[in-house]
Amino acid sequence: GDSVTQMEGPVTLSEEAFLTINCTYTATGYPSLFWYVQYPGEGLQLLLKATKADDKGSNKGFEATYRKETTSFHLEKGSVQVSDSAVYFCALSDRAAGNKLTFGGGTRVLVKP
Amino acid sequence: GAGVSQSPSNKVTEKGKDVELRCDPISGHTALYWYRQSLGQGLEFLIYFQGNSAPDKSGLPSDRFSAERTGGSVSTLTIQRTQQEDSAVYLCASSLAGAPTDTQYFGPGTRLTVL
């Protein structure tokens, strides 16, 4: 079945540092890929998505490119802020698996001033 | 506009009791999903409703769990004879048409604690 693997945290960074969170996937069909974020005390919200190979999703300074050849969707941000402290979830949705979201385990990111 | 709402926000119950959790999706969204977020299992799919089609119940962990969606809108997740391992945050999400490319919008969740 479908699965998503992302790097375990916590990841601790200083403000203005570069952030990368690795995400790889296994899917039976042609999935859409998502990054969701959960800020402290808040619900899950979409950060960005890409629906086909080579698409780049971007939002709030974050980017991720759908790489079919490496089955990856790594999240990057060039200069993090304290407000980026959150838990980040990589996920996929695949029609062959019923359109539900399959999530990675989540990566907690802590940005220190 | 209004997002996905869930009630109650917190529920504490005793082992063996039944509980009902409610979800109001975004108006006009035909697809509704239930997920569970727990420390040991992460985020896991439970059940999916799409329009008038039969629901995808493949994620329900046992026959103690059931869900219905009335009138294509509000959904209720029922857990019978609750166990301590049912303690988790139960999340509801909705999307416009249930396509894999659609964004799923999540509610704030119901935190269930089984004593």
Side-chain angles (χ1 to χ4, degrees):
Chain A
D2 292 358
S3 66
V4 176
T5 303
Q6 61 181 105
M7 59 190 291
E8 291 189 21
V11 175
T12 303
L13 303 165
S14 297
E15 208 164 21
E16 298 184 3
F18 184 86
L19 171 67
T20 298
I21 305 176
N22 290 337
C23 172
T24 57
Y25 67 89
T26 302
T28 51
Y30 299 94
S32 296
L33 302 175
F34 304 81
W35 278 101
Y36 278 83
V37 59
Q38 193 168 34
Y39 297 104
E42 298 186 17
L44 268 175
Q45 56 186 274
L46 178 73
L47 181 59
L48 53 83
K49 70 179 183 181
T51 59
K52 60 182 187 294
D54 300 325
D55 269 1
K56 177 185 284 188
S58 61
N59 187 24
K60 298 182 180 180
F62 289 89
E63 292 183 342
T65 300
Y66 187 163
R67 300 289 189 199
K68 187 178 178 183
E69 63 275 14
T70 54
T71 61
S72 64
F73 193 52
H74 305 321
L75 182 68
E76 297 182 336
K77 185 173 185 181
S79 177
V80 293
Q81 305 300 311
V82 172
S83 58
D84 294 322
S85 297
V87 181
Y88 294 81
F89 293 92
C90 186
L92 68 82
S93 180
D94 180 2
R95 187 181 302 278
N99 297 339
K100 60 184 178 288
L101 285 170
T102 298
F103 288 91
T107 302
R108 183 176 299 277
V109 173
L110 177 61
V111 181
K112 296 186 174 181
Chain B
V4 177
S5 60
Q6 294 185 244
S7 61
S9 55
N10 279 285
K11 177 71 177 179
V12 180
T13 191
E14 294 180 349
K15 178 182 173 181
K17 301 281 191 182
D18 297 353
V19 295
E20 285 189 352
L21 312 180
R22 176 188 168 102
C23 171
D24 281 273
I26 293 172
S27 178
H29 281 193
T30 63
L32 187 148
Y33 307 78
W34 284 96
Y35 296 88
R36 179 167 71 172
Q37 185 173 23
S38 58
L39 282 176
Q41 301 298 323
L43 273 157
E44 52 180 344
F45 164 77
L46 297 176
I47 188 168
Y48 161 46
F49 296 89
Q50 172 53 50
N52 295 321
S53 302
D56 176 355
K57 303 180 182 180
S58 61
L60 295 179
S62 78
D63 58 8
R64 296 185 296 104
F65 287 73
S66 62
E68 62 177 19
R69 188 178 185 191
T70 53
S73 181
V74 171
S75 178
T76 302
L77 177 69
T78 301
I79 309 173
Q80 296 180 307
R81 305 180 302 282
T82 52
Q83 304 294 312
Q84 289 184 333
E85 61 263 28
D86 300 335
S87 295
V89 177
Y90 289 81
L91 298 172
C92 176
S94 70
S95 71
L96 186 61
T101 54
D102 286 350
T103 297
Q104 293 185 28
Y105 296 87
F106 283 80
T110 294
R111 181 175 298 277
L112 175 66
T113 303
V114 182
L115 302 177

